[in-house]
């Protein structure tokens, strides 16, 4: 496995690979959620490439860019064990050289939900993913359903800008108690860690109400709020029942609706979501 730093080296290594390439973008501090993406890519592609880059452009003021966990040596060992061929772990100035001023704005779907809570976040995500797709030119790129709005933004960008790549969405990997795996979970104290599965329990309550016939989105939102209120350490920022493509909030709840949460547990912001009814399509539905 090659761990490379410069764009030139990545391009050269990519050109030397014969066959299809699957790219898995990450910010490192890898866990089994990330590794599930690597395995899916390995199953579906001749070669797997990963990026490890804590992207400053997607962190807002006070969002602790500096405190984000960084464990490059451990991460590269894990990727090697997963049979990843190529890893790009650039320094910020390699991704954003002096004078950088071009960004990608996926306008409407970047606005609600996490976009409202984190202004500029999805501009940072779309810009870095566009750059990764240009540097690696993969046939497929793998993303986790855990970051549902991120997937919507990237699918929209790929369709709108004609990136020649298939976006593959992989299911959320969870701890035994339902907590979605996240690099941010290491920030949780023992008490907060015990509180954190409340997100999953609230989502499951919404799912079972839907399965019992509830189709009023406000009733589901009220149920989410009530479940989350049962946990004193939880402070709700987003509790949404939205259209899975436009992210517009719904009144009635069709099959495929996206139920998503952003909840502060102490000083840590956790997100999670489920899709109601029909399973989410495995690959992006927006490709032109
Ligand atoms: P991150 O390092 O947080 O930027 O995540 C890199 C990729 O891994 C993104 O596509 C995430 O959606 C995905 N990912 C993160 N956590 C999980 C999880 N628990 N299950 C599945 N995919 C995940």
């Amino acid at each position: 496995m090659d761990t490379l730093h410069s764009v030139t080296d990545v391009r050269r290594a990519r050109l030397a690979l014969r066959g299809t390439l699957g790219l898995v973008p990450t910010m490192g501090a890898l866990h089994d959620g990330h590794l599930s993406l690597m395995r899916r890519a390995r199953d579906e592609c001749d070669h797997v490439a990963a990026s490890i880059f804590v992207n400053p452009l997607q962190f807002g003021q006070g969002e602790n860019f500096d405190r984000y966990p960084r464990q490059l040596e451990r991460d590269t060992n894990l990727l090697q064990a997963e049979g990843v061929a190529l890893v790009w772990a650039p320094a910020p100035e390699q991704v954003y050289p002096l004078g950088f001023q071009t960004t990608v704005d996926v306008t409407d779907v970047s606005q609600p939900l996490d976009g409202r809570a984190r202004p500029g976040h999805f501009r940072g995500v779309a810009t870095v993913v566009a750059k990764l797709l240009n540097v690696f030119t993969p046939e497929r790129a793998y993303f986790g359903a855990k970051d549902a709005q991120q997937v919507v933004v990237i699918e929209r960008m790929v369709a709108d800008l004609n990136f020649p790549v298939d976006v593959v969405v992989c299911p959320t990997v969870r701890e035994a108690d339902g907590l979605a795996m996240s690099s941010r979970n290491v920030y949780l104290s023992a008490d907060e860690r015990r509180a954190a599965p409340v997100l999953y329990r609230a989502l499951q309550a919404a799912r079972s109400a839907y399965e019992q016939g509830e189709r009023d989105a406000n009733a589901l939102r009220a149920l989410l709020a009530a479940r989350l209120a049962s946990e004193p350490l939880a402070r709700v920022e987003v509790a949404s029942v939205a259209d899975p493509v436009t992210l517009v909030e719904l009144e009635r709840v069709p099959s495929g609706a996206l139920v998503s949460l952003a909840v502060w547990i102490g000083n840590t912001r956790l997100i999670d979501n489920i899709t109601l009814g029909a399973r989410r399509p495995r690959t992006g539905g927006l490709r032109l």
Side-chain angles (χ1 to χ4, degrees), residues 6 65 135 270:
S6 81
F65 167 75
V135 170
L270 300 180

Side-chain angles (χ1 to χ4, degrees), residues 11-35:
R11 285 197 198 280
R12 192 174 297 133
R14 194 279 179 257
L15 284 174
L17 296 174
R18 293 276 156 259
T20 55
L21 181 66
L23 172 66
V24 185
T26 83
M27 297 205 298
L30 301 179
H31 50 66
D32 279 348
H34 296 113
L35 299 185

Side-chain angles (χ1 to χ4, degrees), residues 24-34 36-37 53 58 68 142-148 150-151 170-174 179-184:
V24 185
T26 83
M27 297 205 298
L30 301 179
H31 50 66
D32 279 348
H34 296 113
S36 75
L37 273 54
F53 180 56
Q58 70 189 69
Y68 197 85
Y142 292 81
F143 298 91
K146 199 207 105 192
D147 296 273
Q150 170 169 286
V151 167
C170 304
T172 301
V173 176
R174 299 176 179 284
L179 175 64
M181 290 190 183
S182 165
S183 307
R184 290 187 163 83

Side-chain angles (χ1 to χ4, degrees), residues 20-24 31-49 79 82-84 140-145 155 166-173 279-284:
T20 55
L21 181 66
L23 172 66
V24 185
H31 50 66
D32 279 348
H34 296 113
L35 299 185
S36 75
L37 273 54
M38 308 294 163
R39 289 171 197 149
R40 176 83 173 267
R42 204 184 49 204
D43 286 348
E44 296 180 351
C45 307
D46 295 321
H47 306 283
V48 181
L79 294 177
E82 292 298 333
V84 170
R140 300 193 185 91
Y142 292 81
F143 298 91
E155 286 181 336
D166 278 326
V167 173
V168 183
V169 183
C170 304
T172 301
V173 176
R279 282 174 56 101
R280 201 177 187 291
R282 282 159 67 93
T283 55

Side-chain angles (χ1 to χ4, degrees), residues 20-250:
T20 55
L21 181 66
L23 172 66
V24 185
T26 83
M27 297 205 298
L30 301 179
H31 50 66
D32 279 348
H34 296 113
L35 299 185
S36 75
L37 273 54
M38 308 294 163
R39 289 171 197 149
R40 176 83 173 267
R42 204 184 49 204
D43 286 348
E44 296 180 351
C45 307
D46 295 321
H47 306 283
V48 181
S51 57
I52 297 177
F53 180 56
V54 185
N55 174 29
L57 207 61
Q58 70 189 69
F59 285 76
Q61 289 283 328
E63 282 191 354
N64 284 323
F65 167 75
D66 293 331
R67 206 167 69 102
Y68 197 85
R70 288 165 173 85
Q71 330 177 328
L72 186 58
E73 196 178 326
R74 175 182 167 276
D75 288 348
T76 49
N77 288 337
L78 287 169
L79 294 177
Q80 173 118 43
E82 292 298 333
V84 170
L86 190 60
V87 178
W88 189 28
E93 54 274 19
Q94 284 161 328
V95 178
Y96 301 113
L98 200 65
F100 180 87
Q101 53 190 280
T102 308
T103 56
V104 179
D105 255 312
V106 185
T107 54
D108 294 3
V109 292
S110 295
Q111 294 307 314
L113 307 176
D114 277 0
R116 186 161 299 131
R118 305 181 67 188
H121 171 67
F122 289 111
R123 176 184 305 126
V125 170
T127 302
V128 81
V129 172
K131 288 167 72 73
L132 291 168
L133 295 176
N134 282 334
V135 170
F136 281 94
T137 63
E139 275 71 24
R140 300 193 185 91
Y142 292 81
F143 298 91
K146 199 207 105 192
D147 296 273
Q149 188 170 10
Q150 170 169 286
V151 167
V152 171
V153 167
I154 290 165
E155 286 181 336
R156 191 72 254 170
M157 176 188 80
V158 162
D160 289 353
L161 298 183
N162 304 97
F163 279 95
V165 68
D166 278 326
V167 173
V168 183
V169 183
C170 304
T172 301
V173 176
R174 299 176 179 284
E175 305 286 356
D177 59 8
L179 175 64
M181 290 190 183
S182 165
S183 307
R184 290 187 163 83
N185 292 350
V186 298
Y187 300 148
L188 300 169
S189 69
D191 282 347
E192 290 166 352
R193 175 63 189 82
R194 276 190 287 276
V198 73
L199 279 81
Y200 182 66
R201 286 200 302 273
L203 292 170
Q204 290 307 105
R207 188 197 296 288
S208 67
Y210 174 82
E211 284 171 356
Q212 283 157 36
E214 184 61 78
R215 294 294 181 271
D216 177 355
N218 273 336
L220 294 189
R221 290 184 196 101
L223 187 57
L224 292 170
R227 287 303 164 110
L228 293 165
S230 73
E231 173 46 67
L233 293 181
R235 185 168 62 76
V236 184
E237 192 165 56
V238 175
S240 156
V241 182
D243 179 279
V245 175
T246 64
L247 302 181
V248 170
E249 291 298 314
L250 296 165

